[in-house]
Amino acid sequence: YVGGKEIPFASKIQLEKRMPFLKKKFLYAADFAKADIIDLFGQKKIDQANKLSADCFENMVFINDGKMNFNANALPYSFQLSSIRAAANIQSFKDKNWEILLMGNFFANNVELGRQDADFGSVLISKGKGNFEYASLNGLAITGEVRKILPIKIGNRISYR
């Protein structure tokens, strides 16, 4: 919504690729820019459309209470800077506790949304009772996109480094 008017997030060019009828309906970008959703599609189509909504966009962890009931906990701020695309359980070398290695980023978004590129790899440390803490990878920065984390096995030792 802008100024109380519901407008499309997608650009004129993006919408025209999926709905070519818009090319003829809005010949000029200036006319498209003034249009709201009802101008674009008509009230009848809007009324008939399936409507979905989302109100939570945080990266989260879901904790199972052992009875298949899950509690959703938002991750700390440092984990909200980009998309998380891969996770792996790792064992801490300091205290032998298990932690979660998280990585992500996504570059193929449209221009309006931009790249999601602020994740350089991080470790999620459980502090118990659904509380978590951020830890960096100690100077290592993964600057690309990550889709999968696989272990490296050397002898009998498995490592994610």
Side-chain angles (χ1 to χ4, degrees), residues 16-44:
E16 288 174 348
K17 285 178 186 176
R18 303 277 187 211
M19 296 171 271
F21 72 89
L22 290 174
K23 284 183 184 181
K24 291 181 183 178
K25 192 170 183 179
F26 296 94
L27 294 176
Y28 302 103
D31 294 334
F32 179 85
K34 295 174 192 169
D36 64 13
I37 295 292
I38 294 170
D39 296 332
L40 293 175
F41 305 111
Q43 187 65 53
K44 184 178 177 184

Side-chain angles (χ1 to χ4, degrees), residues 86-107:
N89 286 328
I90 59 172
Q91 192 170 15
S92 171
F93 293 104
K94 289 188 250 175
D95 56 17
K96 302 295 182 194
N97 288 326
W98 286 93
E99 298 163 349
I100 302 173
L101 175 63
L102 299 171
M103 294 189 188
N105 292 337
F106 186 70
F107 299 167

Side-chain angles (χ1 to χ4, degrees), residues 4 21 56 61 74 156:
F21 72 89
C56 180
V61 64
N156 290 330

Side-chain angles (χ1 to χ4, degrees), residues 9-79:
F9 179 76
S11 70
K12 181 178 187 294
I13 293 169
Q14 289 174 319
L15 286 175
E16 288 174 348
K17 285 178 186 176
R18 303 277 187 211
M19 296 171 271
F21 72 89
L22 290 174
K23 284 183 184 181
K24 291 181 183 178
K25 192 170 183 179
F26 296 94
L27 294 176
Y28 302 103
D31 294 334
F32 179 85
K34 295 174 192 169
D36 64 13
I37 295 292
I38 294 170
D39 296 332
L40 293 175
F41 305 111
Q43 187 65 53
K44 184 178 177 184
K45 290 276 188 195
I46 298 298
D47 292 341
Q48 293 173 345
N50 289 331
K51 295 169 183 71
L52 304 173
S53 66
D55 59 8
C56 180
F57 296 96
E58 296 168 303
N59 289 318
M60 303 184 89
V61 64
F62 294 84
I63 308 293
N64 184 347
D65 70 359
K67 299 176 186 170
M68 296 306 290
N69 298 309
F70 292 85
N71 293 314
N73 295 340
L75 295 176
Y77 172 77
S78 297
F79 293 100

